[in-house]
Amino acid sequence: MTAADQQQRVPAEGRPAAFADRMRERGRDLFHSVWAPTPGSIRRWALASVVVNVGITVTGAAVRLTGSGLGCPTWPRCTPGSFVPAPHDSHSPVNMAIEFGNRLLSFLVLAVAVACVVAVLRIAPRRASLIRLAAVQPAGVLVQALWGGLVVRSLLNPVTVSVHFLLSTLMTMAAFALFARSGEGDAPPRRLVHRDIRTLGFVLVTAVFVLLIAGVVVTGTGPHSGDVAASRFGFDIETVARLHADIVWVVLGLTFALLFALHVTDSPGRARRGALVLLGVELAQGVLGYVQYWLAVPAVLVGLHVLGSALVWIATLRVVFMMRDRGPLGAAVPVRGEPDDVHTL
């Protein structure tokens, strides 16, 4: 008898009870993953933090792209006198629902952030590096919430909107660092590649962050303001778009140089594969950027471009982490000053 047949034989009145039992069991497992964590469960929570931070970045872009930036025209309330959407003459119910939904998503990001903090505090032995990285998450949510109020009160001023996006980028970086560090030990970092290649990796990270800054300038100059009342940067859109494209080519050149250097020096395979993945993501993002420009930046493609920017950022950070090693989990930490046959960072 198949599982499907067995399920069909379960009385209809028993199915809700069975479903409730499964939900309770999953809830217990979720609780234990935080209160009685393992290195694996901490790593999963860190990955969840990366996902929700990228998610709220993309949904934040969706708020702007649907013209819902002032769907909730006040802060911290949604409308004057109400924390939840209420009929308002200036905004449609759809716009209000989209903006309020994005605000609610902040609580999911906060919940995952708190889970990360509790998990790293509960595991034995405690790791100070993980505690510091996990603490960034709830602190970042608080800063973002307060800054979001400034975005609303400034009527979506492009400067405040741009900083809002860049703060999410930094939170994603901290979440990814927590994910990477939770899967390795606390030994002194050892370079797995030549020092100059490692330096090139840091230069690439800087270039990608500059690219993200250029991207928000283009966004703040372009047509998707988030609301008719929002102001725009006073730049020429073609000029800033071309500057953005020029930086894209610089990033691609640095990535190709990194990939070439990793191959000719016979660096670890995971680093070479990571650089190849990064190059592939960048090429896909570049093609998408040119297509959206040729099609007069349709909202759907802009949203995908925002997602692509987050993926490029994560892939860049991933390569940098792959170019050094801190030993396996649980390994004894060498005494400071102990000789080491591999150069440290």
Side-chain angles (χ1 to χ4, degrees):
M1 180 182 297
T2 65
D5 294 335
Q6 291 177 348
Q7 185 176 4
Q8 291 177 356
R9 292 176 62 115
V10 176
E13 61 274 10
R15 291 177 187 171
F19 177 77
D21 289 340
R22 289 196 298 272
M23 291 299 100
R24 280 194 293 269
E25 182 179 354
R26 292 178 182 177
R28 285 194 298 268
D29 292 342
L30 195 63
F31 173 78
H32 287 304
S33 71
V34 176
W35 198 249
T38 64
S41 66
I42 289 179
R43 190 165 169 80
R44 288 191 292 273
W45 277 112
L47 179 60
S49 184
V50 174
V51 172
V52 295
N53 275 288
V54 171
I56 199 168
T57 301
V58 175
T59 58
V63 170
R64 176 173 51 81
L65 294 169
T66 56
S68 307
L70 294 176
C72 287
T74 63
W75 189 94
R77 291 180 172 87
C78 180
T79 56
S82 176
F83 284 96
V84 297
H88 195 272
D89 295 337
S90 302
H91 301 86
S92 72
V94 173
N95 292 141
M96 296 178 71
I98 292 173
E99 163 63 4
F100 185 70
N102 190 62
R103 291 190 182 187
L104 288 181
L105 190 57
S106 299
F107 291 98
L108 175 61
V109 180
L110 178 61
V112 174
V114 171
C116 288
V117 172
V118 173
V120 298
L121 288 174
R122 291 284 302 173
I123 198 167
R126 288 184 178 179
R127 299 175 59 189
S129 60
L130 298 190
I131 293 175
R132 288 192 296 268
L133 289 170
V136 171
Q137 304 303 311
V141 174
L142 176 60
V143 171
Q144 279 287 65
L146 295 175
W147 194 267
L150 180 60
V151 171
V152 173
R153 291 176 181 271
S154 67
L155 299 179
L156 308 184
N157 182 281
V159 174
T160 61
V161 174
S162 299
V163 173
H164 204 37
F165 174 84
L166 295 175
L167 287 173
S168 290
T169 298
L170 295 176
M171 285 188 63
T172 300
M173 179 175 67
F176 184 81
L178 177 62
F179 171 74
R181 290 289 289 115
S182 63
E184 60 187 12
D186 289 319
R190 302 182 306 163
R191 286 187 290 105
L192 302 178
V193 299
H194 191 275
R195 178 178 302 171
D196 293 341
I197 298 177
R198 183 85 167 124
T199 300
L200 178 58
F202 290 129
V203 172
L204 178 59
V205 171
T206 303
V208 171
F209 191 71
V210 172
L211 177 61
L212 294 175
I213 295 174
V216 297
V217 172
V218 174
T219 298
T221 308
H224 300 291
S225 63
D227 192 272
V228 293
S231 59
R232 302 273 78 197
F233 286 128
F235 305 123
D236 176 68
I237 184 62
E238 289 195 9
T239 300
V240 293
R242 290 179 187 278
L243 175 62
H244 180 62
D246 291 340
I247 301 175
V248 168
W249 285 109
V250 171
V251 169
L252 282 172
L254 290 172
T255 304
F256 182 80
L258 177 64
L259 180 61
F260 181 77
L262 289 171
H263 275 278
V264 298
T265 56
D266 196 26
S267 298
R270 66 172 190 161
R272 284 179 281 153
R273 290 190 295 272
L276 187 60
V277 169
L278 171 60
L279 182 62
V281 174
E282 288 173 349
L283 289 174
Q285 176 75 339
V287 170
L288 180 59
Y290 276 107
V291 170
Q292 73 170 7
Y293 181 78
W294 292 330
L295 296 180
V297 289
V300 173
L301 293 186
V302 175
L304 291 176
H305 201 57
V306 171
L307 174 60
S309 69
L311 297 180
V312 169
W313 182 233
I314 291 171
T316 305
L317 298 172
R318 178 171 175 261
V319 171
V320 172
F321 275 98
M322 285 179 169
M323 291 193 291
R324 96 284 185 272
D325 177 64
R326 301 197 68 161
L329 279 172
V333 179
V335 178
R336 181 170 294 181
E338 182 177 324
D340 187 2
D341 60 351
V342 181
H343 294 292
T344 59
L345 289 176

